[in-house]
Amino acid sequence: MKTFAVMLLLVFVSFSACKSTDKKVKGPKGEYIVASIKKDTVARKEIQLIFDEEKGQVSGKAVCNSYSATYVVSGNNIKFSPAVSTKMMCHEGTSIEYNFFQALLNAKTFSLKSNKLSLLDAEEQPILIAK
């Protein structure tokens, strides 16, 4: 019986030692205002990104329409679902909203530095910057 207890203890200690010590990378949370999409400045349009980390949901107001999408973070990788949005007509914002939603879909990784969120494409090029 003592041998069994000792072996059980050794197995437990072995598994505990194998536990990962990597820090879990957290995704974006809170509210950001989009400053640029690709290289186009859109800060005056006040496109919101409101991240709800618990629900894995991002929402806000694009130029004319409210939207919502889900997202998943794994390490520095990020993947957004296609956004669901209202369909209000907006002459000045149609192309900007389209580019915004495409940027979300094309985002592969992200970086957070000094409260600045950067979404990057597959070539690690910034496609959306928000503060």
Side-chain angles (χ1 to χ4, degrees):
M1 185 69 167
K2 286 183 183 180
T3 306
F4 178 74
V6 170
M7 288 185 62
L8 187 59
L9 180 62
L10 286 174
V11 169
F12 177 73
V13 170
S14 296
F15 282 120
S16 296
C18 292
K19 206 180 196 183
S20 175
T21 57
D22 294 342
K23 289 183 179 179
K24 183 180 178 189
V25 176
K26 303 240 179 183
K29 62 181 174 181
E31 184 174 347
Y32 299 86
I33 300 295
V34 177
S36 65
I37 301 170
K38 296 259 182 179
K39 295 181 181 184
D40 297 328
T41 301
V42 296
R44 291 190 298 166
K45 301 298 182 191
E46 293 196 22
I47 300 171
Q48 297 174 311
L49 285 163
I50 304 170
F51 288 91
D52 184 333
E53 193 175 30
E54 284 184 23
K55 294 181 181 176
Q57 186 173 25
V58 63
S59 61
K61 187 164 190 311
V63 178
C64 300
N65 293 289
S66 298
Y67 74 92
S68 177
T70 59
Y71 71 99
V72 177
V73 171
S74 176
N76 285 343
N77 296 321
I78 192 163
K79 181 171 176 64
F80 293 91
S81 71
V84 175
S85 71
T86 57
K87 302 289 182 196
M88 296 182 66
M89 190 167 154
C90 178
H91 294 291
E92 74 175 273
T94 303
S95 64
I96 296 170
E97 282 190 358
Y98 175 81
N99 292 339
F100 170 66
F101 293 134
Q102 288 301 305
L104 293 181
L105 287 175
N106 292 324
K108 303 296 181 208
T109 60
F110 73 95
S111 70
L112 279 170
K113 294 180 183 166
S114 302
N115 206 31
K116 177 177 138 184
L117 170 66
S118 300
L119 297 181
L120 311 169
D121 64 15
E123 287 78 40
E124 298 290 319
Q125 296 300 308
I127 56 175
L128 187 144
I129 307 293
K131 299 177 183 178

